[in-house]
Amino acid sequence: MGAEVEKTEYSAEDRMRFRREVNQELETFAWMLAHAEFDSTFPKIGLELELNLVDHEMQPSMSNDDVLDHLGEHFQSELARFNIEVNVSPRPVATGASPSLEHVVLDHLREAEEAAAEAGCRMVPIGILPTLRSEHLQGEWISRGARYTALEKAILAERGGEGATLDITGPTGERIEMYVPDIAPAAACTSLQMHRQVSPENFATFWNAAQLVSAVQVAVGANSPFLFGKRLWAETRIPLFEQVLDTRTPELRNQNVRSRAIFGRDWITSPADLFRENIGSYPALLPELFELPATEGGPGSAHPGNLKGQAPELPRLLLHNGTVWRWNRGIYDVVDGVPHLRVENRVLPAGPTAADTLANCALYYGLVRTLVDQSPHAWVGFAHAEAERNFYAAAEHGLDAKLRWPGFTGPVPVTQLVTEHLIPLARAGLLSGGTTPEDADTYLGTVRRRCEKGVNGAVWQTRAVEQLEGQGMDRDAALTEMTRLYWENNATHAPVDQWPLPA
């Protein structure tokens, strides 16, 4: 939810000054893209994984402070008190689908589970906690820290003090239609975020490739079919997040003004396209003022792009970028004085297991690598609007989705598209990046089995609940028992397609 801030209220003067200074930083960023040396010789990948905390009855446990007291620097809070996040340290691209990365993810998950046990609760990696109810999001639900409170105030102010309306309908007609006065339901969305470091000249092709493959990722990796007791989309996180964080008033929506939580408008040709659109199209939610000079390292400095060996941090640009929620986001960062760029892929839910996480990584990193290396690029001549339609069709229907894809004359079942066409491309991309054939086949084999069996996290959850309800349980009891079984199966580390259904 962005960097920490000091204020929770901002004046008109703060906003005017921030607007002026963030535009100065944008100019510096554009100048750097043309002149500065970015770190990209040995590109890295990184992961962020958001987790839920539950009590022994599988209900949300508002105990992230207590859990974090037992954890180290890789862990931090998230929006709600029943969320924590683990950050996997950056590592070479070749380890993007490897036992070494799987072991690191497993170790972090074990750390989180042990810390949760110390605090009297449990940890569940899942897209939306099935036992979450709207009453859990009342009272003291928000995590400590000024940034969360400031963000909520800013979003509500942008909407003229109004809340948001949730309206999501599932495949069997179950529907959530409700007014929510704050941003609390966004805390239901726990995700896997995958980072890929890229050079400035290759950024646009990597981002465009990520946009194209996002629908496939969501369909294959869906793991969020329940919200507030209702069966909704296969990946309900997508519409839930967008609706809760939509800062537009009804009048602005009627004018087709774009939301701050978006898939995107079009293919891009430069990373500056994204940052320029963010600043030009969206007012600052958190116009925090920094002492760091806006011109540090910029065209007006004595040593452009390099002040005492340090690249400019551009804190206003970064803060503003963090309040426009693209499903594929551009990241500028500075490490040890050296700037770099990343594409952050945010489309996937958390879980079900480390093995599933690595399978999702293998499909994404491998497929994007191949698409970037192809000539001409697959998206040339393919409408970005089709990629957007694919994305929402995949979120709604999961493994039952039919998608349009470059080179195909009509919609193709996503399971057929993945098994017959995309897995070979992903495998080639992994091998060219340094993954061993054995590891590539192991992780992509999990993706293949999901498609062949028709089972991902969303399917397992819905089938388990149907079976439990068939045994006489009501919906609440079935969701609670399913969550308990999910937690138990997660502990086996087996991919979700191998999980048994309730006896």
Side-chain angles (χ1 to χ4, degrees):
M1 279 292 175
E4 189 56 271
V5 296
E6 295 182 1
K7 296 184 178 182
T8 60
E9 303 280 354
Y10 300 95
S11 67
E13 183 180 352
D14 290 337
R15 296 182 182 282
M16 292 172 63
R17 179 180 162 187
F18 185 91
R19 183 182 293 114
R20 180 176 66 254
E21 293 181 352
V22 77
N23 274 285
Q24 290 174 341
E25 291 191 355
L26 177 61
E27 291 179 14
T28 299
F29 178 65
W31 184 92
M32 290 182 65
L33 291 174
H35 298 93
E37 184 174 344
F38 282 71
D39 179 15
S40 59
T41 305
F42 301 103
K44 301 179 181 68
I45 60 98
L47 305 179
E48 300 172 64
L49 186 61
E50 297 166 354
L51 308 169
N52 287 286
L53 302 172
V54 299
D55 62 22
H56 290 273
E57 302 300 321
M58 294 295 142
Q59 304 302 303
S61 176
M62 306 295 179
S63 55
N64 64 355
D65 282 341
D66 293 337
V67 173
L68 290 170
D69 283 343
H70 298 282
L71 291 167
E73 61 182 1
H74 291 294
F75 294 86
Q76 64 183 42
S77 64
E78 254 299 326
L79 179 59
R81 296 188 178 197
F82 59 89
N83 304 142
I84 61 172
E85 178 181 275
V86 57
N87 296 284
V88 177
S89 298
R91 57 205 59 245
V93 167
T95 62
S98 68
S100 63
L101 179 59
E102 183 176 357
H103 292 156
V104 170
V105 173
L106 270 173
D107 286 345
H108 285 324
L109 292 177
R110 289 192 188 100
E111 286 181 74
E113 182 62 42
E114 290 170 3
E118 289 285 336
C121 59
R122 293 169 172 173
M123 179 276 297
V124 181
I126 194 168
I128 294 177
L129 186 61
T131 55
L132 183 69
R133 295 292 181 270
S134 57
E135 53 265 31
H136 294 129
L137 298 173
Q138 299 170 8
E140 297 295 321
W141 64 270
I142 198 167
S143 288
R144 291 190 177 93
R147 60 177 167 168
Y148 302 119
T149 301
L151 184 67
E152 179 172 57
K153 287 184 176 181
I155 289 173
L156 295 178
E158 193 82 359
R159 287 199 296 246
E162 297 180 17
T165 298
L166 300 183
D167 192 354
I168 311 169
T169 302
T172 61
E174 295 185 41
R175 183 180 185 185
I176 287 285
E177 186 180 18
M178 61 186 294
Y179 175 83
V180 293
D182 49 32
I183 68 168
C189 306
T190 43
S191 64
L192 167 66
Q193 296 154 29
M194 293 186 283
H195 294 249
R196 213 293 189 174
Q197 185 181 339
V198 297
S199 65
E201 57 269 22
N202 289 330
F203 180 94
T205 54
F206 272 94
W207 188 86
N208 289 339
Q211 288 286 96
L212 182 61
V213 306
S214 290
V216 174
Q217 293 178 263
V218 170
V220 172
N223 194 31
S224 313
F226 292 100
L227 174 65
F228 299 158
K230 304 290 187 181
R231 179 188 173 185
L232 303 174
W233 288 18
E235 193 45 50
T236 304
R237 278 176 50 257
I238 303 295
L240 173 61
F241 192 82
E242 291 191 353
Q243 290 178 20
V244 173
L245 295 182
D246 188 349
T247 59
R248 299 171 299 173
T249 62
E251 294 80 8
L252 291 177
R253 286 196 294 272
N254 291 337
Q255 296 172 40
N256 293 320
V257 172
R258 287 276 182 157
S259 171
R260 300 182 82 102
I262 55 172
F263 181 73
R265 295 190 182 186
D266 208 345
W267 312 117
I268 65 170
T269 59
S270 165
D273 294 347
L274 297 181
F275 290 88
R276 189 172 291 113
E277 182 183 333
N278 287 354
I279 291 171
S281 299
Y282 303 104
L285 284 182
L286 303 174
E288 191 82 6
L289 301 177
F290 299 87
E291 293 303 319
L292 188 68
T295 57
E296 175 183 325
S301 70
H303 303 284
N306 184 3
L307 185 64
K308 295 182 180 179
Q310 301 292 311
E313 295 184 1
L314 308 182
R316 303 160 189 80
L317 190 72
L318 272 61
L319 180 59
H320 187 66
N321 187 55
T323 61
V324 180
W325 293 282
R326 298 177 182 275
W327 292 108
N328 286 293
R329 176 187 280 164
I331 303 286
Y332 167 85
D333 204 354
V334 178
V335 177
D336 296 329
V338 181
H340 72 259
L341 293 173
R342 305 194 304 272
V343 174
E344 181 191 20
N345 177 264
R346 307 171 58 249
V347 307
L348 284 172
T353 65
D356 289 300
T357 297
L358 266 291
N360 292 334
C361 288
L363 182 65
Y364 173 70
Y365 288 125
L367 191 50
V368 165
R369 174 68 177 260
T370 294
L371 293 174
V372 165
D373 289 344
Q374 283 181 338
S375 182
H377 292 128
W379 53 89
V380 175
F382 188 76
H384 188 268
E386 287 286 9
E388 184 175 20
R389 281 190 285 270
N390 280 347
F391 181 69
Y392 294 106
E396 184 172 2
H397 303 293
L399 287 171
D400 291 329
K402 294 183 178 181
L403 308 180
R404 294 188 179 273
W405 192 262
F408 289 79
T409 56
V412 185
V414 68
T415 52
Q416 177 187 341
L417 178 66
V418 170
T419 55
E420 296 180 7
H421 183 61
L422 299 184
I423 284 180
L425 297 183
R427 186 178 190 275
L430 290 174
L431 297 186
S432 66
T435 301
T436 68
E438 295 77 16
D439 291 342
D441 291 339
T442 294
Y443 296 118
L444 291 175
T446 296
V447 175
R448 182 180 295 278
R449 287 197 311 274
R450 287 186 207 162
C451 292
E452 291 174 346
K453 293 181 178 181
V455 177
N456 57 15
V459 172
W460 185 88
Q461 288 188 53
T462 55
R463 287 181 180 173
V465 168
E466 288 170 358
Q467 197 148 325
L468 292 166
E469 288 180 327
Q471 296 171 8
M473 291 188 183
D474 63 22
R475 174 60 61 85
D476 282 350
L479 287 170
T480 299
E481 177 63 8
M482 181 271 285
T483 305
R484 186 187 67 79
L485 293 171
Y486 182 106
W487 176 73
E488 288 184 349
N489 280 302
N490 169 267
T492 70
H493 311 308
V496 71
D497 68 276
Q498 299 177 13
W499 290 7
L501 289 168

